[in-house]
Amino acid sequence: MKDRNIFDILGNAEDDSMERLTEKCPDITDEQIEKIIAMSEKKYNAKKKEILKDRTEKDNYINMTENDTVEGVERVHRPVWLTPLATAASLVLVAGVVLGSMAMFRKNKTGKIDTGVIEPAVTATTTQVSGTTQISTDKNGSTITTTVTTTSLSKTTGKADGTGAAGGASGSAASENEEIKALAGQWKYQESQYDFIPGSITEKGTVVINEDGTYSYNGTNETGTVKIGVEKMGGSSLKTVSFYNGSSYSFGGYYQNNEWISIGNGGISRLVRGSKADTSKDAEYISYQNTAKSLIEKYYDTHYQIMFRFPQYRNMNDTITFNLRDPNLEAGIRDVTYARITGKGLELNSKADVENYARKVYSDSLAAKELEYLNDDYVVISDTYKNGDHIDETGVALEDLLAFKNFIFYKGNMYVNTSSVQAGWLGYTSANEPIIISNVTSTSFRAYAPGIWGENNMGCDIVDFVFEPSVNGWRINNLQPENYSVYGENLPGLDS
Amino acid sequence: MTSYELKAMLERSPAECHRALVKEYGKYVYAIVFNKLRICGTKEDIEECVSDVFADIFFKYEFDENCDRDIKGYIATVAKRSAIDRFRSLTSRNNHTVYSDDDDMQELVSDFSVDERVDRSELRRVLLNKIDELGEPDSTILIQKFYYNRKSSEIAKSMSMTDASVRTRCSRAIARLRTKLAEAGISR
């Protein structure tokens, strides 16, 4: 059998099994019933409205009385002007589709932003220098050469089709020049799937924007021209910044502020500088993430409700077997094999070891609540028994029988019941999504940690940590498993 | 509730009839939808699907003249089909690969052999039998805890027990179940 929650087998049940599962289904709360009724009514009314509208439209054309017979041929008058009109409409439609498709293909170029404004394809600035040189002699008889230089700027703007006007700078071009000058400097090109949380950022390189409107990007070793544009969207205007490598569009996006240009439409890439590019606090954030991850993993090891993750540390080369009472069997007894917990660097030999391990994870207040349950599953077996011995459990209550315990202590070592299938029921923190850290103070912080339970069940644990001065370290004070949607709701947002 | 009672109630007051249907069959529909979507859907997906089922049923009973059908069987069929549709849309959206052995989902698991399907169906019955053998309240605690993914505190509240008692019973019941399954040859 695969390592998985055996209860997953109950999914896709056939009718008889489904009946049995329905009997044990938790009752639906009044709140849930009201919610379902409201949602169902809304959907039902929308569907009904649609159907009735359809029926009414059809009924308006029919006027019949009972026992009427329908016969004959329906005459349809088709106006003579309809054909040329339909032909013209078809042509307009075809032209629209063709032009629309072209526009869409242009838009779908990677990261391309439609500025809605025809941009000049080439902007050249010419500097003309003229001067006069004067030579004179000072009072000491030395020769002094003075050069007076006059500089003038002229701008030539050309369109992509080769047309364009040459001569003096226009007002808008001057304004664009100013805007580009404001962007001049070094920018970091970053990518992140998770709102640029530290630990999720990939640095793609550096983009240098020059005051003359050129740029260089060392991520792809390209150079080119920067263009500023405007995109109209829903009544508001967005400033766009486009980077052209030669005449072809390379990348671009929306100007957000003087330290942030988003690249493309998805918010996955961006150019940043200044405080936005400051990574000096990332190391601290990542250290909180690492602390959280390490403690949450240990919490999964020890958490009572998933019956401990210790079985995965068992050493099957170091086992002990006892013949134990089992009232579930006809024979009334069976051999139960236990394996020592010595794998993966974890060696536990006493209850104190288990408690100490747990206390590396739990705060004192959480330990007070949780550790009482740790004791339920442990039994100490006397050293007088030898491997293979039968242990007489006459009169022992059902729930205290050794065969039903997960762990035993024997001759100073801790063993786990190898009948356990629990190693396949584990939860673990997700490898992809970075943990979100929030509410950091000197004595506490909160983590939103995406996790996987069983095979595919994604969730998000809300974990509160406190600083325990007695051990001079962080501990989990509370862990609340929630739906995965909680993770998305707590992402910091792109402008954070 | 028979189909004719339902129809009469519908004529009297559609809203009252809808409410009665949800109260009577809400848990049943929820259980069927949950069974199909528990691996790939969120709680919201499941509730959304349950409301789709009821909207469909309201509509059918109002506009379909042929109402002399077995209500429970009909609801089960609508629930199952809606859940399978939702399953397909969720798994294609999430690109999940999910265990599935339902007759209606064979195309989703092309490499699933018939023998394995038979074994799985049998395994399901054995597991439910062994859980039932644990007796109440343990069998319900285990199903609610590990199949319906309910928190111990929620189970405790619905069964008038303390959290600690649910946890302890759960731990012991799972140990007993493990033994029973091992004896039946079901283990890792």
Side-chain angles (χ1 to χ4, degrees), chain A residues 3 35 44 305 326 406, chain B residues 47 62 152 178-179 188:
Chain A
D3 276 2
K35 190 175 170 189
Y44 157 75
Q305 288 185 341
D326 187 345
N406 282 323
Chain B
E47 285 178 353
E62 182 156 346
S152 296
R178 194 184 302 140
T179 310
R188 291 181 65 218

Side-chain angles (χ1 to χ4, degrees), chain B:
Chain B
M1 191 191 292
T2 67
S3 288
Y4 291 104
E5 286 168 345
L6 183 72
K7 197 77 179 170
M9 195 190 290
L10 189 66
E11 282 166 12
R12 225 173 31 245
S13 163
E16 186 192 330
C17 173
H18 295 168
R19 179 170 289 273
L21 264 175
V22 175
K23 283 200 163 180
E24 176 96 11
Y25 295 105
K27 182 172 161 179
Y28 185 54
V29 170
Y30 187 90
I32 292 172
V33 171
F34 185 90
N35 187 260
K36 303 286 175 207
L37 303 184
R38 72 183 284 271
I39 287 185
C40 65
T42 63
K43 186 183 165 200
E44 287 73 25
D45 291 327
I46 290 167
E47 285 178 353
E48 188 77 28
C49 187
V50 170
S51 68
D52 281 343
V53 173
F54 279 109
D56 206 16
I57 289 166
F58 297 167
F59 194 80
K60 288 275 166 50
Y61 271 96
E62 182 156 346
F63 291 92
D64 191 345
E65 295 300 318
N66 181 23
C67 68
D68 56 344
R69 51 167 73 96
D70 161 34
I71 300 180
K72 195 174 176 187
Y74 177 65
I75 287 178
T77 306
V78 174
K80 200 172 169 185
R81 286 183 185 160
S82 299
I84 288 167
D85 284 347
R86 183 60 65 119
F87 174 91
R88 287 182 177 135
S89 96
L90 285 172
T91 47
S92 67
R93 193 173 72 205
N94 298 337
N95 200 22
H96 277 162
T97 307
V98 181
Y99 256 75
S100 167
D101 61 345
D102 194 280
D103 286 351
D104 299 322
M105 296 190 193
Q106 279 190 55
E107 69 272 25
L108 297 177
V109 279
S110 53
D111 58 343
F112 215 78
S113 78
V114 173
D115 284 349
E116 281 175 326
R117 281 194 341 104
V118 172
D119 284 343
R120 183 161 279 267
S121 176
E122 184 54 28
L123 187 59
R124 201 151 31 223
R125 290 196 182 91
V126 171
L127 177 59
L128 283 170
N129 287 343
K130 296 296 171 194
I131 292 169
D132 279 347
E133 283 173 21
L134 299 173
E136 291 296 353
D138 292 359
S139 59
T140 297
I141 289 175
L142 283 197
I143 290 287
Q144 293 203 356
K145 177 82 202 154
F146 295 110
Y147 172 74
Y148 286 107
N149 300 324
R150 296 244 294 173
K151 294 174 189 162
S152 296
S153 55
E154 292 170 332
I155 299 171
K157 198 174 169 187
S158 67
M159 301 187 86
S160 304
M161 297 166 79
T162 62
D163 288 14
S165 157
V166 166
R167 289 171 168 209
T168 307
R169 293 202 81 105
C170 193
S171 164
R172 289 171 183 166
I174 205 76
R176 287 166 58 212
L177 176 64
R178 194 184 302 140
T179 310
K180 285 173 179 289
L181 292 176
E183 290 301 324
I186 301 170
S187 59
R188 291 181 65 218

